[in-house]
Amino acid sequence: ELKVEQNPLFLSMQEGKNYTIYCNYSTTSDRLYWYRQDPGKSLESLFVLLSNGAVKQEGRLMASLDTKARLSTLHITAAVHDLSATYFCAVDLQIQGAQKLVFGQGTRLTINP
Amino acid sequence: EPEVTQTPSHQVTQMGQEVILRCVPISNHLYFYWYRQILGQKVEFLVSFYNNEISEKSEIFDDQFSVERPDGSNFTLKIRSTKLEDSAMYFCASSGTGINEQFFGPGTRLTVL
């Protein structure tokens, strides 16, 4: 059974600082997604990583994928309050053509002024 | 921009009652999914649906659950006899192909009393 583990689960940081969220998974997959969720809201797609070594950047967020290490990272640069949210990674587990996303537990990020 | 819609946004029901949650996927998408998220927890896969049949389902998706695409636009999740532990946010998602990014709807919050 595929396990997806994020750490840390809770992160409180100051504005202007840098930090990294880690997503480890237990079985082979070369597709990984990062989502953002604000309280009571749906999942907003941030990044789609489709191959080993993929790196994507959008504003202060950068995501990377190392399929050999079964590790993805979400790096936050010079954090601002608006980035406070819960961040989920999700690994695509394809079974006989049917796609199934297995989510990590989520990282609740709080950025303090 | 096309989006997935869900109704109702909040459903309150008594234990043992049947509920139907409705979703309208993005119009040219072919793959449909339901996920659930118990408050404060991670997002869990329930079922995937393609070509009018279930492709994959999780252990959570037992005989009390069913899905249907009754017409060309709606995709429904039915829970026959709700239990207290069914209380959660239910998200519908769709994708264009079996390997494409999934787009999530805003969710239906189900409260079982």
Short mmCIF file of all heavy atoms in Angstrom, two decimals, chain B residues 49-78:
data_model
loop_
_atom_site.label_atom_id
_atom_site.label_comp_id
_atom_site.label_asym_id
_atom_site.label_seq_id
_atom_site.Cartn_x
_atom_site.Cartn_y
_atom_site.Cartn_z
N PHE B 49 -14.17 6.79 -11.81
CA PHE B 49 -15.27 6.38 -12.70
C PHE B 49 -14.91 6.80 -14.11
O PHE B 49 -14.52 7.94 -14.36
CB PHE B 49 -16.54 7.12 -12.23
CG PHE B 49 -17.82 6.66 -12.86
CD1 PHE B 49 -18.52 5.60 -12.33
CD2 PHE B 49 -18.36 7.33 -13.94
CE1 PHE B 49 -19.74 5.20 -12.87
CE2 PHE B 49 -19.57 6.94 -14.49
CZ PHE B 49 -20.26 5.88 -13.96
N TYR B 50 -15.02 5.84 -15.03
CA TYR B 50 -14.70 6.12 -16.44
C TYR B 50 -15.56 5.24 -17.32
O TYR B 50 -15.76 4.06 -17.01
CB TYR B 50 -13.21 5.87 -16.70
CG TYR B 50 -12.84 5.87 -18.16
CD1 TYR B 50 -12.84 7.06 -18.88
CD2 TYR B 50 -12.49 4.69 -18.82
CE1 TYR B 50 -12.50 7.07 -20.23
CE2 TYR B 50 -12.17 4.70 -20.17
CZ TYR B 50 -12.16 5.89 -20.86
OH TYR B 50 -11.84 5.90 -22.19
N ASN B 51 -16.05 5.81 -18.38
CA ASN B 51 -16.83 5.04 -19.37
C ASN B 51 -18.00 4.33 -18.70
O ASN B 51 -18.28 3.15 -18.96
CB ASN B 51 -15.90 4.04 -20.06
CG ASN B 51 -16.46 3.55 -21.38
OD1 ASN B 51 -17.25 4.23 -22.02
ND2 ASN B 51 -16.06 2.35 -21.78
N ASN B 52 -18.65 5.05 -17.82
CA ASN B 52 -19.86 4.58 -17.14
C ASN B 52 -19.65 3.40 -16.21
O ASN B 52 -20.61 2.64 -15.95
CB ASN B 52 -20.96 4.26 -18.14
CG ASN B 52 -21.66 5.51 -18.61
OD1 ASN B 52 -21.93 6.41 -17.81
ND2 ASN B 52 -21.95 5.59 -19.88
N GLU B 53 -18.43 3.23 -15.73
CA GLU B 53 -18.24 2.20 -14.74
C GLU B 53 -17.13 2.59 -13.76
O GLU B 53 -16.29 3.42 -14.08
CB GLU B 53 -17.96 0.84 -15.38
CG GLU B 53 -16.74 0.78 -16.24
CD GLU B 53 -16.58 -0.60 -16.88
OE1 GLU B 53 -17.59 -1.30 -17.07
OE2 GLU B 53 -15.43 -0.96 -17.17
N ILE B 54 -17.17 1.96 -12.61
CA ILE B 54 -16.14 2.22 -11.60
C ILE B 54 -14.83 1.60 -12.06
O ILE B 54 -14.77 0.43 -12.45
CB ILE B 54 -16.57 1.63 -10.24
CG1 ILE B 54 -17.74 2.43 -9.67
CG2 ILE B 54 -15.41 1.62 -9.26
CD1 ILE B 54 -18.34 1.83 -8.42
N SER B 55 -13.76 2.42 -12.03
CA SER B 55 -12.43 1.94 -12.39
C SER B 55 -11.68 1.41 -11.17
O SER B 55 -10.96 0.43 -11.25
CB SER B 55 -11.60 3.08 -12.99
OG SER B 55 -12.28 3.70 -14.04
N GLU B 56 -11.85 2.11 -10.07
CA GLU B 56 -11.10 1.76 -8.86
C GLU B 56 -11.90 2.29 -7.68
O GLU B 56 -12.52 3.35 -7.77
CB GLU B 56 -9.72 2.42 -8.91
CG GLU B 56 -8.87 2.30 -7.66
CD GLU B 56 -8.29 0.92 -7.46
OE1 GLU B 56 -8.33 0.12 -8.41
OE2 GLU B 56 -7.81 0.65 -6.35
N LYS B 57 -11.89 1.56 -6.58
CA LYS B 57 -12.55 2.05 -5.37
C LYS B 57 -11.72 1.68 -4.16
O LYS B 57 -10.96 0.70 -4.18
CB LYS B 57 -13.97 1.51 -5.24
CG LYS B 57 -14.07 0.01 -5.18
CD LYS B 57 -15.51 -0.42 -5.11
CE LYS B 57 -15.60 -1.95 -5.00
NZ LYS B 57 -17.00 -2.42 -4.91
N SER B 58 -11.87 2.46 -3.11
CA SER B 58 -11.10 2.22 -1.90
C SER B 58 -11.91 1.36 -0.94
O SER B 58 -13.09 1.08 -1.16
CB SER B 58 -10.72 3.54 -1.24
OG SER B 58 -11.87 4.13 -0.65
N GLU B 59 -11.25 0.99 0.16
CA GLU B 59 -11.94 0.19 1.19
C GLU B 59 -13.07 0.97 1.83
O GLU B 59 -14.01 0.39 2.35
CB GLU B 59 -10.92 -0.22 2.26
CG GLU B 59 -9.89 -1.20 1.78
CD GLU B 59 -8.84 -1.50 2.83
OE1 GLU B 59 -8.84 -0.85 3.89
OE2 GLU B 59 -8.00 -2.38 2.58
N ILE B 60 -12.97 2.30 1.81
CA ILE B 60 -14.02 3.12 2.40
C ILE B 60 -15.32 2.97 1.59
O ILE B 60 -16.42 3.00 2.13
CB ILE B 60 -13.60 4.61 2.39
CG1 ILE B 60 -12.31 4.81 3.15
CG2 ILE B 60 -14.71 5.48 2.96
CD1 ILE B 60 -11.67 6.17 2.91
N PHE B 61 -15.19 2.80 0.32
CA PHE B 61 -16.33 2.76 -0.62
C PHE B 61 -16.97 1.39 -0.54
O PHE B 61 -16.75 0.51 -1.38
CB PHE B 61 -15.83 3.07 -2.03
CG PHE B 61 -16.94 3.39 -3.01
CD1 PHE B 61 -17.37 4.70 -3.16
CD2 PHE B 61 -17.53 2.41 -3.78
CE1 PHE B 61 -18.38 5.01 -4.06
CE2 PHE B 61 -18.53 2.71 -4.68
CZ PHE B 61 -18.95 4.01 -4.83
N ASP B 62 -17.78 1.19 0.51
CA ASP B 62 -18.43 -0.12 0.69
C ASP B 62 -19.81 -0.12 0.05
O ASP B 62 -20.15 0.77 -0.74
CB ASP B 62 -18.48 -0.46 2.19
CG ASP B 62 -19.30 0.54 2.99
OD1 ASP B 62 -20.15 1.24 2.40
OD2 ASP B 62 -19.08 0.63 4.21
N ASP B 63 -20.61 -1.11 0.40
CA ASP B 63 -21.91 -1.29 -0.26
C ASP B 63 -22.89 -0.16 0.01
O ASP B 63 -23.93 -0.07 -0.65
CB ASP B 63 -22.55 -2.61 0.21
CG ASP B 63 -21.79 -3.81 -0.30
OD1 ASP B 63 -20.99 -3.63 -1.24
OD2 ASP B 63 -21.98 -4.91 0.24
N GLN B 64 -22.58 0.68 0.98
CA GLN B 64 -23.46 1.82 1.27
C GLN B 64 -23.29 2.95 0.26
O GLN B 64 -24.10 3.86 0.19
CB GLN B 64 -23.18 2.35 2.68
CG GLN B 64 -23.57 1.39 3.79
CD GLN B 64 -25.04 1.08 3.77
OE1 GLN B 64 -25.89 1.96 3.64
NE2 GLN B 64 -25.37 -0.20 3.87
N PHE B 65 -22.19 2.90 -0.49
CA PHE B 65 -21.88 3.97 -1.44
C PHE B 65 -22.17 3.50 -2.86
O PHE B 65 -21.98 2.32 -3.20
CB PHE B 65 -20.40 4.34 -1.35
CG PHE B 65 -19.99 5.05 -0.09
CD1 PHE B 65 -19.65 4.32 1.05
CD2 PHE B 65 -19.95 6.43 -0.02
CE1 PHE B 65 -19.28 4.96 2.22
CE2 PHE B 65 -19.55 7.08 1.14
CZ PHE B 65 -19.23 6.35 2.26
N SER B 66 -22.59 4.43 -3.69
CA SER B 66 -22.71 4.15 -5.11
C SER B 66 -22.50 5.45 -5.88
O SER B 66 -22.68 6.54 -5.33
CB SER B 66 -24.07 3.53 -5.46
OG SER B 66 -25.12 4.43 -5.16
N VAL B 67 -22.09 5.31 -7.12
CA VAL B 67 -21.90 6.47 -7.99
C VAL B 67 -22.66 6.23 -9.28
O VAL B 67 -22.89 5.09 -9.70
CB VAL B 67 -20.42 6.77 -8.30
CG1 VAL B 67 -19.70 7.30 -7.08
CG2 VAL B 67 -19.72 5.54 -8.86
N GLU B 68 -23.01 7.35 -9.90
CA GLU B 68 -23.80 7.26 -11.12
C GLU B 68 -23.56 8.51 -11.95
O GLU B 68 -23.28 9.59 -11.42
CB GLU B 68 -25.29 7.19 -10.75
CG GLU B 68 -26.20 6.80 -11.87
CD GLU B 68 -27.64 6.72 -11.41
OE1 GLU B 68 -28.03 7.44 -10.48
OE2 GLU B 68 -28.39 5.94 -12.02
N ARG B 69 -23.62 8.31 -13.26
CA ARG B 69 -23.62 9.46 -14.16
C ARG B 69 -24.96 9.40 -14.89
O ARG B 69 -25.07 8.82 -15.96
CB ARG B 69 -22.45 9.37 -15.12
CG ARG B 69 -22.22 10.61 -15.95
CD ARG B 69 -20.79 10.69 -16.39
NE ARG B 69 -20.61 11.58 -17.53
CZ ARG B 69 -20.48 12.89 -17.44
NH1 ARG B 69 -20.55 13.47 -16.27
NH2 ARG B 69 -20.29 13.61 -18.52
N PRO B 70 -25.98 9.99 -14.30
CA PRO B 70 -27.35 9.80 -14.81
C PRO B 70 -27.62 10.46 -16.16
O PRO B 70 -28.53 10.07 -16.86
CB PRO B 70 -28.21 10.42 -13.71
CG PRO B 70 -27.33 11.41 -13.03
CD PRO B 70 -25.95 10.84 -13.11
N ASP B 71 -26.82 11.48 -16.49
CA ASP B 71 -27.00 12.14 -17.78
C ASP B 71 -25.62 12.59 -18.25
O ASP B 71 -24.62 12.17 -17.69
CB ASP B 71 -27.98 13.32 -17.66
CG ASP B 71 -27.57 14.27 -16.54
OD1 ASP B 71 -26.36 14.58 -16.42
OD2 ASP B 71 -28.43 14.69 -15.77
N GLY B 72 -25.58 13.44 -19.26
CA GLY B 72 -24.29 13.79 -19.83
C GLY B 72 -23.48 14.77 -19.01
O GLY B 72 -22.33 15.05 -19.36
N SER B 73 -24.07 15.30 -17.92
CA SER B 73 -23.33 16.33 -17.21
C SER B 73 -23.14 16.04 -15.72
O SER B 73 -22.13 16.42 -15.16
CB SER B 73 -24.03 17.69 -17.38
OG SER B 73 -25.35 17.62 -16.90
N ASN B 74 -24.08 15.35 -15.09
CA ASN B 74 -23.97 15.17 -13.64
C ASN B 74 -23.24 13.89 -13.27
O ASN B 74 -23.26 12.89 -14.01
CB ASN B 74 -25.38 15.12 -13.03
CG ASN B 74 -26.05 16.47 -13.04
OD1 ASN B 74 -25.73 17.33 -12.25
ND2 ASN B 74 -26.96 16.67 -13.99
N PHE B 75 -22.62 13.93 -12.11
CA PHE B 75 -21.95 12.76 -11.54
C PHE B 75 -22.33 12.76 -10.06
O PHE B 75 -22.10 13.75 -9.36
CB PHE B 75 -20.44 12.88 -11.74
CG PHE B 75 -19.61 11.77 -11.17
CD1 PHE B 75 -19.90 10.44 -11.46
CD2 PHE B 75 -18.52 12.04 -10.38
CE1 PHE B 75 -19.13 9.41 -10.95
CE2 PHE B 75 -17.73 11.02 -9.86
CZ PHE B 75 -18.04 9.70 -10.15
N THR B 76 -22.96 11.68 -9.59
CA THR B 76 -23.50 11.70 -8.24
C THR B 76 -22.86 10.64 -7.35
O THR B 76 -22.42 9.58 -7.83
CB THR B 76 -25.02 11.47 -8.24
OG1 THR B 76 -25.29 10.18 -8.80
CG2 THR B 76 -25.74 12.54 -9.05
N LEU B 77 -22.83 10.94 -6.07
CA LEU B 77 -22.41 9.99 -5.04
C LEU B 77 -23.59 9.80 -4.11
O LEU B 77 -24.12 10.77 -3.56
CB LEU B 77 -21.21 10.54 -4.26
CG LEU B 77 -20.75 9.72 -3.05
CD1 LEU B 77 -20.14 8.39 -3.49
CD2 LEU B 77 -19.74 10.49 -2.21
N LYS B 78 -24.02 8.56 -3.93
CA LYS B 78 -25.13 8.26 -3.05
C LYS B 78 -24.62 7.47 -1.85
O LYS B 78 -23.84 6.52 -2.02
CB LYS B 78 -26.20 7.44 -3.78
CG LYS B 78 -27.41 7.11 -2.92
CD LYS B 78 -28.30 6.04 -3.54
CE LYS B 78 -29.06 6.54 -4.72
NZ LYS B 78 -30.05 5.53 -5.20
#
